[in-house]
Structure formats: C-alpha cells, structure tokens
Amino acid sequence: PIKLEHVKEHVGSGVEAWYDDVYYKLGSRKFVGAKSIKTEQTAVWISIDNVVVGKYILEQPLRKGIITMIEELPYPITILSGDNAITKTLFEHQINKKIDCQFQQNPTDKYTYIRHMQMGGKKTMMIGDGLNDAGALAESNTGIAIVENTLQFSPASDAIMHVTSLPYLMQYLRASKKAHQLIVIVFIISLLYNILGLYFAVTAKLIPLIAALLMPISTLTIVLSTLVGSTLIYNRLLKQIPTP
C-alpha cells in the first residue's frame, strides 16, 4: 500500500497527486488533457507526468426496483447525473414515463437546479447517494440520502434510506401523508376536548371528582387514537416492506 501525502481534489473534475516526483492525474478528459475525440461514454482518464496513458469506461446499471419506483411517483421527475448522455438511452428504453434527464452535472449544477426550481415556487425532494449530491440534498425542501449499509457515512439530509427500501418510496410518502393527517386529527380531538371541558368548568357544571377523572381519560383518548392510527398506517402501507 502507498500512502499519498500530496493529493489535491478538483471538485467536478478529478484528483491530482504526487509520489516519488511523479505527477498523477485522474479525472475527466478535459482535466487530464486528453486529445482524443469526445465520446458519450462515462470515462475516468489517467495521466502520468502529463502524458495520458488510458481511461476506464464506467457502466452502471439501474438499481433494482428503480423503474417501478419512478413510474409510481405521480410527480414531475428530473434525473441529475454526473454521467454522460449515453446513460439517457438506458433510461429511455426502460422507463415508460416522460422524465427530464440532465447529464454531466457537477455538484454546483445540481445545487443550482434545485435553487432555480424553488425560486419558481416549486417544492423539491432530492434523492442522492453520494457526496456530490450534498449541496442539493441540503438545499431541497426534503433531502433523502441513500446508503448501502446503516454504518456508511452519508451527507446531511432530512432522511436516510437504505438502498433496498428505495423501490418503496411511494409507500413511505403515502405513510408520511397519513401520519400528518393523524397528527392533525389528534390535535383536533384534543382541542375539542379542552373546549368542552373549559365550557363545563366555566359554567360550574362539573364537580371536582368528575374533572379529575376526565383528565386521565383525555390523555388515554389521545394515546389510544395515536396508537390505533399508527398501527393502521403500518399494517396497510409499511408492513410488507422488507427490513434491510
């Protein structure tokens, strides 16, 4: 193993390093100075002492279940990817839904896109699986970081989701909406209960013993309503989702 002490990262372009007076560069075609014809393939180029020695061609298939997830979501979808446009063909052949695909996006491009959407009055949810998405995740109204394992470092976000749970995103969103409705219902019950209790208290129609009994009954009603509602949400929307 070699420990590199002189390393410099150029965000969105590549990495350069020095070892034993040898200069290495790893990154985009433009970054390493490759003169070959530009291709639509996603590639990582390598140069040694400013001499281009080759490249790696990267091909990444779609994650399992992603096609179903995208087709289930009833919202406009934009794919912001650092890959080259050749990946667009992969999406077009597999996804039966009109989506906006934007490729060769660096971290700043992704952040700017989210910011532009918000300035247009739209609420955004960003789903990302790498540090390149950190800015966009933080800027979005809702940011969801995707991880391969629960101990993996992930960028700051509103939620962290295991990659195997991603195909069930729509079910999580439905569960979130139902949970929000449950909270509103519980607050309404609590408010009505307190208004009714206040009325009887002001009109002196309650004896102290009955008032003392109604207090724990009120708490019990709220707890039971929450328990029943959350159980129904879990059984109907989340129970069938496999645990990572």
Side-chain angles (χ1 to χ4, degrees):
I2 297 174
K3 183 178 180 180
L4 297 176
E5 296 181 353
H6 305 285
V7 181
K8 185 177 181 181
E9 179 182 1
H10 299 265
V11 178
S13 296
V15 179
E16 58 182 347
W18 292 261
Y19 180 74
D20 281 349
D21 295 327
V22 180
Y23 179 43
Y24 299 91
K25 295 182 76 174
L26 183 74
S28 66
R29 181 183 64 87
K30 183 178 179 181
F31 178 68
V32 302
K35 303 297 183 182
S36 65
I37 299 175
K38 184 178 179 180
T39 66
E40 295 297 330
Q41 294 174 306
T42 301
V44 178
W45 293 79
I46 305 101
S47 72
I48 300 176
D49 285 335
N50 292 318
V51 177
V52 179
V53 296
K55 63 182 178 181
Y56 290 104
I57 301 296
L58 305 180
E59 294 183 358
Q60 183 174 346
L62 296 179
R63 293 185 185 274
K64 184 179 179 181
I66 293 301
I67 297 176
T68 302
M69 181 207 75
I70 291 177
E71 293 178 348
E72 277 186 345
L73 291 173
Y75 311 107
I77 297 174
T78 301
I79 294 178
L80 304 174
S81 174
D83 294 336
N84 288 310
I86 192 172
T87 313
K88 183 177 181 179
T89 306
L90 182 64
F91 283 107
E92 290 177 343
H93 281 84
Q94 298 189 44
I95 299 176
N96 298 316
K97 183 178 181 178
K98 185 178 180 180
I99 55 177
D100 181 16
C101 296
Q102 299 193 28
F103 294 90
Q104 295 180 317
Q105 300 288 297
N106 60 40
T108 303
D109 294 331
K110 296 179 181 181
Y111 171 87
T112 302
Y113 183 88
I114 296 295
R115 187 63 179 159
H116 177 74
M117 294 285 287
Q118 291 175 329
M119 291 177 65
K122 296 181 179 179
K123 292 184 178 180
T124 61
M125 179 174 68
M126 175 70 183
I127 303 172
D129 61 357
L131 291 177
N132 285 341
D133 304 315
L137 286 170
E139 183 62 25
S140 295
N141 298 92
T142 302
I144 301 178
I146 305 300
V147 298
E148 296 284 351
N149 59 73
T150 54
L151 298 178
Q152 178 176 320
F153 171 79
S154 60
S157 57
D158 299 296
I160 299 175
M161 183 178 291
H162 194 272
V163 65
T164 57
S165 299
L166 187 57
Y168 305 95
L169 177 62
M170 192 59 213
Q171 288 169 251
Y172 281 110
L173 294 179
R174 292 193 187 104
S176 297
K177 290 183 178 180
K178 294 296 182 182
H180 181 268
Q181 293 173 2
L182 176 61
I183 293 172
V184 173
I185 291 172
V186 169
F187 269 104
I188 291 175
I189 293 174
S190 177
L191 182 62
L192 292 175
Y193 195 96
N194 282 279
I195 291 175
L196 186 63
L198 183 64
Y199 167 77
F200 283 108
V202 172
T203 56
K205 293 182 178 181
L206 281 181
I207 62 175
L209 178 61
I210 300 299
L213 290 174
L214 288 178
M215 284 302 295
I217 293 175
S218 170
T219 302
L220 186 61
T221 302
I222 298 301
V223 171
L224 287 177
S225 300
T226 305
L227 180 61
V228 172
S230 58
T231 301
L232 289 174
I233 292 172
Y234 173 76
N235 288 334
R236 293 181 179 181
L237 295 172
L238 301 177
K239 188 175 183 180
Q240 68 275 28
I241 298 177
T243 303

